[in-house]
C-alpha cells in the first residue's frame, strides 16, 4: 500500500497574507553566555494547523529553537510571538500559562518510572489543572488515541521504546495543547516504530493541532512531503511547503 | 476551591513521598537539626535559669539586714523600728528574731543549723531588722545611718549585710549571659538552616525529572515549591520535637538534682518550658520552610 493512501492529506491551510501565525519569530538571535551564537537573525512564521519539520545537523540551532519557543531560553535580540502574545519580555509568573499552550515530547521520553502509564498521563493534568473533573476518562481517552488503552496499569520499564514515546505523547496531549512540539521524537527508535510515531503525530495534526517536529530522520521527512524548515548555523536556509530532507539535487551520502 | 484542595492534597502527598523515599537522608537531617535544637534549648534554658538566680539576688539587693546586739530590749528595738519607718527613704521594715533567723537559715539550705545550735548550746544568729529601701541610693545612705545606731551589733565587723558592689556586678552578669545565650542560639539557627537546605537539595535532586516535567507542562513555581517547603517544615518540627523532649526531661532532672545539693532558689519554670517548646517547634517549622525555599530556588530557574 502506498504511503499516500494511509496518510491524511496535507492540510489546506497555507500562509495567507493577513492571517495571524501561531508562532512567529522576528529577527531573533540567541547568543549563549559562553559566546556561542546559536540562532542568528531568524524570521519564521508557522500557521495554525501546520505540520512542519525542522531539520538540520547537530549544532545547527534546532534545540535552541525549541527552547526559545517554550521560553526555556530567552532571545538575546528580536521578538517571538506565540498565539499572538509576545513571549520575549513575558514576566516569569506568566510562563506556566504559556507552556500550557504546548505539548512537548523529547527523544528521551522523560517518563516517571514509579508511576504507571495512566498515572504518568494524569500527572500532567494534576499539575496544571488540580481538581480536574473526569480525570480518569480524559486519561483513558488520550491513551486510546495513542493506542495504549490496554496498557493503563503498566510501568514504563515494562513497555517498548515506541510505547514509552506514545505515553509521552499522550501526556503532552492530555491537556489539549494548541501546539505540539516534538524534539527528535524518533531519535531512539527503529524505523518501523518511528513510522508509527510519525503517523500518530500526523493524526494529531489532522485533528487541528499545529505540530512542529525537529528531526534528523531523513526517511520520514522525505516520505511525508510536508513543510520543511532547514536550519544551518542558526539561520533558516530553506523553507519549503512540501520539502525533502535535502535540497533538490543535493549530494546524498 | 476544588482545585485548591486538590493542590493542597498534591503537595502533602508529594511531601510525604519525598520524606519517605529518601528516609535515610531525611532522618540524618532531622537528627542533626534535632541536636542543634537541643543545643538551642539548653542554651536558652541555661540563660533563663541563670537569669532567674541572678534576678532573685537582685531583688534582694535593695534589702539590708541590720544585725542587732543580743542585749538590746524589744522596747528599744521597736522605737528604732518606728523611727526608720518614718524615714522617707524606707519602703518597709520588719523585725526578725533570733529564732526566725534560724528558720530562714534552714530554708536557705543550711541544714546543719539545728545540730550546730544543740552543739553550741545557744543560738549564735543575731536578731535583725530587715530594711527595704525605696531606691538603691537611699539604701547606701540608710546603711551609713543605721551603722551608728546604738542597737547595732558592732562586735563582728559587719553591722549590716550591705554590699556596695553587688548590684552593678549582677547587672553586668545578667546582660552578658543574655548576649552570649542569644548569639549562640542565633548561630545555631543559621547552622540548622544550612542543614535543611542541603537535605532539601538532595530531595530536589532525586525528583529533578519530576520537577522538569512539572515545569514543562506548565506548573507554577509555587506548585513545584510547596511539597518541598512542607517537607522542610515537617522535618523542622520533628527535629524541634526531638530536641525539646530531651531538653525538657533534662531540665527538670538537673534542677531537681541541683536543688538537692545547693540552694539556687529556683525551681523548674513550667510555663517558660512550655513557651520554649512552642517557640522551638515554630522556629523549627520556620527554619525548615525557609531552608527548603532556598534549597529549591536554584532548581526552579530552568
Amino acid at each position: 500500500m502506498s504511503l499516500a493512501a494511509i496518510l491524511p492529506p496535507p492540510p489546506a491551510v497555507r500562509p495567507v497574507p493577513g492571517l495571524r501565525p501561531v508562532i512567529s519569530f522576528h529577527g531573533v538571535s540567541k547568543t549563549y553566555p559562553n559566546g556561542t551564537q546559536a540562532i542568528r537573525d531568524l524570521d519564521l512564521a508557522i500557521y495554525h494547523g501546520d505540520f512542519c519539520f525542522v531539520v538540520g545537523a547537530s549544532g545547527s540551532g534546532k534545540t535552541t529553537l525549541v527552547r526559545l519557543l517554550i521560553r526555556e531560553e530567552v532571545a538575546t535580540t528580536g521578538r517571538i510571538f506565540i498565539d499572538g502574545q509576545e513571549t520575549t519580555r513575558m514576566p516569569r509568573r506568566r510562563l506556566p500559562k504559556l507552556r500550557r499552550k504546548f505539548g512537548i515530547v523529547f527523544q528521551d521520553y522523560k517518563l516517571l518510572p514509579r508511576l504507571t502509564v495512566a498515572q504518568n498521563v494524569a500527572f500532567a493534568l494534576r499539575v496544571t489543572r488540580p481538581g480536574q473533573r473526569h480525570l480518569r476518562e480524559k486519561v483513558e481517552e488520550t491513551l486510546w488515541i495513542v493506542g495504549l488503552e490496554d496498557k493503563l496499569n503498566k510501568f514504563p520499564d515494562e513497555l517498548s521504546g515506541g510505547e514509552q514515546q506514545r505515553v509521552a505523547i499522550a501526556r503532552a496531549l492530555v491537556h489539549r495543547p494548541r501546539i505540539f512540539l516534538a524534539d527528535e521524537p524518533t531519535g531512539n527508535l527503529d524505523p518501523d516504530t518511528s513510522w508509527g510515531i510519525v503517523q500518530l503525530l500526523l493524526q494529531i495534526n489532522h485533528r487541528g493541532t499545529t505540530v512542529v517536529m525537529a528531526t534528523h530522520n531523513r526517511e520520514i521527512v522525505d516520505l511525508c512531503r510536508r513543510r520543511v524548515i532547514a536550519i544551518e548555523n542558526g539561520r533558516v536556509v530553506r523553507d519549503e511547503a512540501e520539502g525533502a530532507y535535502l535540497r533538490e539535487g543535493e549530494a546524498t551520502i | 476551591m476544588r482545585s485548591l484542595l486538590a493542590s493542597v492534597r498534591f503537595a502533602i502527598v508529594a511531601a510525604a513521598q519525598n520524606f519517605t523515599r529518601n528516609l535515610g537522608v531525611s532522618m540524618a537531617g532531622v537528627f542533626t537539626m534535632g541536636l542543634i535544637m537541643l543545643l538551642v534549648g539548653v542554651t536558652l534554658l541555661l540563660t533563663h535559669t541563670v537569669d532567674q538566680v541572678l534576678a532573685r539576688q537582685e531583688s534582694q539587693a535593695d534589702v539590708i539586714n541590720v544585725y542587732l546586739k543580743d542585749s538590746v530590749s524589744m522596747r528599744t528595738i521597736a522605737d528604732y523600728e518606728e523611727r526608720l519607718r518614718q524615714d522617707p527613704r524606707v519602703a518597709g521594715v520588719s523585725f526578725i528574731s533570733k529564732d526566725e533567723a534560724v528558720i530562714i537559715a534552714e530554708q536557705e539550705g543550711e541544714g546543719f543549723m539545728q545540730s550546730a545550735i544543740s552543739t553550741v548550746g545557744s543560738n549564735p544568729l543575731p536578731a535583725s531588722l530587715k530594711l527595704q529601701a525605696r531606691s538603691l541610693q537611699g539604701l547606701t545612705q540608710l546603711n551609713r545611718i543605721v551603722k551608728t545606731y546604738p542597737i547595732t551589733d558592732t562586735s563582728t565587723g559587719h553591722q549590716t549585710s550591705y554590699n556596695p558592689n553587688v548590684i552593678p556586678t549582677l547587672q553586668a552578669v545578667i546582660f552578658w549571659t543574655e548576649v552570649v545565650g542569644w548569639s549562640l542560639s542565633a548561630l545555631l539557627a543559621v547552622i540548622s538552616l544550612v542543614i535543611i537546605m542541603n537535605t532539601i537539595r538532595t530531595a530536589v535532586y532525586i525528583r529533578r525529572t519530576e520537577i522538569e516535567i512539572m515545569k514543562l507542562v506548565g506548573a507554577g513555581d509555587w506548585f513545584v515549591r510547596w511539597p518541598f517547603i512542607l517537607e522542610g517544615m515537617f522535618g523542622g518540627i520533628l527535629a524541634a520535637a526531638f530536641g525539646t523532649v530531651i531538653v525538657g526531661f533534662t531540665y527538670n532532672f538537673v534542677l531537681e538534682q541541683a536543688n538537692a545539693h545547693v540552694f539556687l532558689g529556683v525551681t523548674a519554670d513550667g510555663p517558660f518550658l512550655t513557651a520554649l517548646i512552642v517557640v522551638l517547634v515554630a522556629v523549627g517549622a520556620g527554619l525548615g520552610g525557609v531552608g527548603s525555599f532556598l534549597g529549591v530556588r536554584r532548581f526552579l530557574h530552568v
Side-chain angles (χ1 to χ4, degrees), chain B residues 31-296:
Chain B
F31 185 68
T32 322
M33 197 178 157
L35 286 178
I36 287 172
M37 287 299 201
L38 184 84
L39 279 176
V40 172
V42 168
T43 310
L44 291 180
L45 270 179
L46 216 57
T47 311
H48 177 67
T49 308
V50 169
D51 266 4
Q52 268 184 308
V53 173
L54 296 180
R56 189 173 166 277
Q57 302 282 328
E58 195 182 30
S59 76
Q60 288 175 344
D62 59 350
V63 171
I64 49 170
N65 288 308
V66 184
Y67 302 120
L68 306 176
K69 286 175 184 158
D70 283 359
S71 55
V72 184
S73 76
M74 288 301 287
R75 166 105 213 160
T76 322
I77 293 169
D79 281 349
Y80 278 102
E81 196 181 333
E82 193 50 38
R83 191 192 294 185
L84 281 170
R85 220 183 287 280
Q86 303 296 328
D87 193 303
R89 290 164 294 197
V90 173
V93 191
S94 60
F95 175 70
I96 294 164
S97 71
K98 287 173 73 76
D99 290 345
E100 283 166 335
V102 173
I103 294 167
I104 291 169
E106 280 186 346
Q107 275 174 352
E108 293 192 355
E110 294 172 33
F112 51 85
M113 277 318 292
Q114 282 296 353
S115 55
I117 290 168
S118 55
T119 314
V120 178
S122 68
N123 178 0
L125 296 177
S128 58
L129 281 177
K130 190 174 170 189
L131 188 62
Q132 184 160 21
R134 287 192 199 280
S135 71
L136 289 172
Q137 219 179 1
L139 190 74
T140 316
Q141 293 166 3
L142 284 169
N143 178 59
R144 213 174 302 131
I145 294 167
V146 294
K147 273 186 177 174
T148 62
Y149 283 2
I151 57 167
T152 308
D153 183 4
T154 49
S155 62
T156 55
H158 37 269
Q159 300 96 322
T160 68
S161 62
Y162 179 74
N163 180 351
N165 298 322
V166 71
I167 301 284
T169 315
L170 273 179
Q171 279 169 341
V173 171
I174 289 174
F175 175 75
W176 285 110
T177 314
E178 282 179 357
V179 167
V180 171
W182 284 104
S183 350
L184 203 59
S185 300
L187 182 72
L188 291 170
V190 171
I191 295 175
S192 56
L193 194 70
V194 173
I195 291 173
I196 282 276
M197 268 174 72
N198 282 316
T199 311
I200 293 300
R201 270 194 193 151
T202 317
V204 169
Y205 185 76
I206 288 170
R207 284 182 101 103
R208 65 194 180 287
T209 320
E210 215 162 312
I211 293 179
E212 193 188 348
I213 294 166
M214 282 162 96
K215 296 208 56 95
L216 276 178
V217 298
D221 287 350
W222 279 102
F223 194 89
V224 178
R225 267 186 207 126
W226 267 117
F228 295 102
I229 290 179
L230 284 183
E231 186 195 352
M233 288 172 78
F234 179 67
I237 290 170
L238 217 59
F242 165 79
T244 48
V245 163
I246 296 179
V247 168
F249 280 118
T250 315
Y251 175 62
N252 283 318
F253 177 77
V254 166
L255 270 185
E256 239 168 64
Q257 293 297 310
N259 276 325
H261 294 291
V262 281
F263 183 75
L264 289 178
V266 171
T267 47
D269 186 345
F272 182 80
L273 186 63
T274 314
L276 182 77
I277 290 173
V278 170
V279 167
L280 278 188
V281 168
V283 166
L287 286 177
V290 172
S292 303
F293 179 81
L294 296 176
V296 126

